[in-house]
Amino acid sequence: DVKVTQSSRYLVKRTGEKVFLECVQDMDHENMFWYRQDPGLGLRLIYFSYDVKMKEKGDIPEGYSVSREKKERFSLILESASTNQTSMYLCASPPGVGGWNTEAFFGQGTRLTVV
Amino acid sequence: GNSVTQMEGPVTLSEEAFLTINCTYTATGYPSLFWYVQYPGEGLQLLLKATKADDKGSNKGFEATYRKETTSFHLEKGSVQVSDSAVYFCALSDYPSNTGKLIFGQGTTLQVKP
């Protein structure tokens, strides 16, 4: 019954490395989102995508980029990882019609530590 | 811009106690309101929602009413269980404008002791 899968639960990377976080959904949704979750700050939107090869900046896009080459896969890229990007990263996919008003599914999260 | 403010946690309760987690929002237009829950080690799950003023969302014994006059969407449960221990997030979306964003509050950690 898996709907949104993030490729890693835990990652440890070194400062300056290029990091890829992968998210795959099996619901044929157009919309996919990347959030980061930090204590006391809740979830903040990094990037989102409405369709293949389309992307929109969220509220905190600096230091990140994304790739959406196929409908089911949305990748978050840290071009040069820094310690302030240590966080929990969550991928989400609401359905296109009605957006978040119908069931939106989240992945289990990737906890990234940059050392 | 739109925003959501939740009461700070953590909230610690004994089993069978009454729970209230406060949530207020600032928004233009007519947002939909949500409560999401995150159990330890898991992603977020939708707990309940309300799409217009005076709607009451309910699920698993939890309730919240969309109060436009007080811009609030407080979460309540009459009798909490240990299994309710989790982080709770209040959120809003700008549907039907549907720019696609879901805006979250800071999250409130609930710990229920036996």
Side-chain angles (χ1 to χ4, degrees):
Chain A
D1 194 38
V2 175
K3 298 187 185 299
V4 179
T5 303
Q6 294 182 230
S7 55
S8 303
R9 292 294 298 271
Y10 301 95
L11 277 178
V12 180
K13 297 293 182 180
R14 296 196 179 276
T15 300
E17 275 193 76
K18 190 169 186 177
V19 181
F20 292 85
L21 304 183
E22 306 287 345
C23 176
V24 176
Q25 52 96 1
D26 61 4
M27 299 169 286
D28 201 35
H29 289 173
E30 285 82 14
N31 298 341
M32 297 185 77
F33 290 71
W34 275 107
Y35 286 88
R36 65 176 280 176
Q37 179 184 359
D38 299 289
L41 297 176
L43 277 73
R44 294 178 291 166
L45 182 62
I46 306 172
Y47 267 97
F48 57 107
S49 170
Y50 286 132
D51 203 349
V52 175
K53 297 192 184 296
M54 293 183 66
K55 60 185 180 183
E56 298 281 346
K57 292 182 179 179
D59 299 316
I60 53 164
E62 297 77 18
Y64 303 94
S65 63
V66 290
S67 173
R68 185 111 182 254
E69 295 296 320
K70 293 184 177 181
K71 191 175 186 179
E72 67 270 19
R73 186 180 298 271
F74 190 36
S75 303
L76 180 68
I77 303 161
L78 286 66
E79 297 291 343
S80 177
S82 64
T83 55
N84 64 11
Q85 293 178 309
T86 292
S87 187
M88 171 73 86
Y89 291 87
L90 291 167
C91 177
S93 182
V97 177
W100 297 99
N101 277 21
T102 47
E103 186 72 36
F105 294 95
F106 281 78
Q108 75 274 37
T110 297
R111 185 166 293 282
L112 173 66
T113 302
V114 182
V115 297
Chain B
N2 295 352
S3 65
V4 177
T5 302
Q6 290 179 235
M7 62 185 289
E8 290 193 23
V11 174
T12 303
L13 296 173
S14 298
E15 207 165 21
E16 299 184 2
F18 185 85
L19 168 71
T20 300
I21 300 177
N22 290 339
C23 171
T24 57
Y25 68 91
T26 302
T28 55
Y30 303 94
S32 296
L33 300 173
F34 306 83
W35 278 100
Y36 279 82
V37 59
Q38 184 180 37
Y39 297 105
E42 299 183 14
L44 271 69
Q45 303 174 25
L46 178 64
L47 181 60
L48 53 84
K49 65 184 180 185
T51 57
K52 61 183 187 294
D54 300 324
D55 266 2
K56 177 186 283 188
S58 61
N59 187 25
K60 299 181 181 179
F62 291 89
E63 292 183 342
T65 301
Y66 188 160
R67 302 285 189 200
K68 193 165 177 63
E69 65 276 14
T70 55
T71 62
S72 65
F73 192 55
H74 305 321
L75 183 68
E76 297 182 335
K77 187 175 185 181
S79 176
V80 294
Q81 306 300 313
V82 172
S83 57
D84 294 326
S85 298
V87 183
Y88 292 82
F89 292 94
C90 185
L92 67 82
S93 76
D94 56 358
Y95 183 86
S97 301
N98 201 22
T99 60
K101 291 184 179 181
L102 192 64
I103 298 167
F104 288 87
Q106 307 93 312
T108 302
T109 299
L110 171 66
Q111 184 178 17
V112 181
K113 296 187 174 181

